[in-house]
Structures are given as structure tokens and as C-alpha cells.
Amino acid sequence: MAGQLALIYDPRYQTWGDWSSLMVEAYSGQQLQIGVPEDQWKDWASGLMAIDVFQNDAMPNPALYEDWQSWATAMIGAISPRN
């Protein structure tokens, strides 16, 4: 996946289960855990951040966020091209 853009689904209007399942499907080759309870989202997010396309200084650290929606939204901002 090196050199590819990261795919992140918009977290708005989605439950944790729906959003994390979409991300698991998008990165199925990376063996992310599916069915992780929402209260364990930071642990799951750490696994996602280990994928090569997410390893850069601009990606937000999940430990700094109170909820997964804020973190996921920050991820979108981190990969969106700047004009």
C-alpha cells in the first residue's frame, strides 16, 4: 500500500460499528479486528495507525481525542489535499 492515499470513510451519521466495519473492509489485507466495542476504540485505532498509509506526522494520535468521531474527522483533515 506504500505510495497510495489512505481511504477514510466520513464518520458523520455513522455508528462506531458501521464506521469501523467499513474501515476493516477497506483494509481487509491488514487483518484489523472487527466487532471491537466502542469503549475500546482507541486500542483499535492504534492498530489502524500501524498501517503504512497512515504512518506520517500529520495523522492524529487517537490518545489525544475523547471520542472516535472527532479523531476520525481529524484523520480526514490530515489526508485531504490542501489547496
Side-chain angles (χ1 to χ4, degrees):
M1 291 187 117
Q4 295 180 359
L5 291 177
L7 170 66
I8 302 174
Y9 289 95
D10 189 339
R12 293 176 295 177
Y13 313 112
Q14 295 194 52
T15 66
W16 163 249
D18 291 343
W19 184 83
S20 62
S21 293
L22 287 170
M23 294 299 288
V24 167
E25 182 179 347
Y27 296 98
S28 59
Q30 304 300 314
Q31 300 179 352
L32 288 169
Q33 187 176 0
I34 193 165
V36 174
E38 187 170 350
D39 64 349
Q40 296 175 17
W41 75 268
K42 289 183 182 185
D43 294 332
W44 181 90
S46 294
L48 181 72
M49 299 301 289
I51 298 173
D52 59 351
V53 297
F54 296 113
Q55 292 184 357
N56 69 59
D57 292 337
M59 296 308 284
N61 181 343
L64 302 177
Y65 291 83
E66 292 293 319
D67 61 80
W68 71 269
Q69 293 97 338
S70 297
W71 169 74
T73 301
M75 286 181 61
I76 291 171
I79 65 160
S80 296
R82 306 286 190 260
N83 293 329

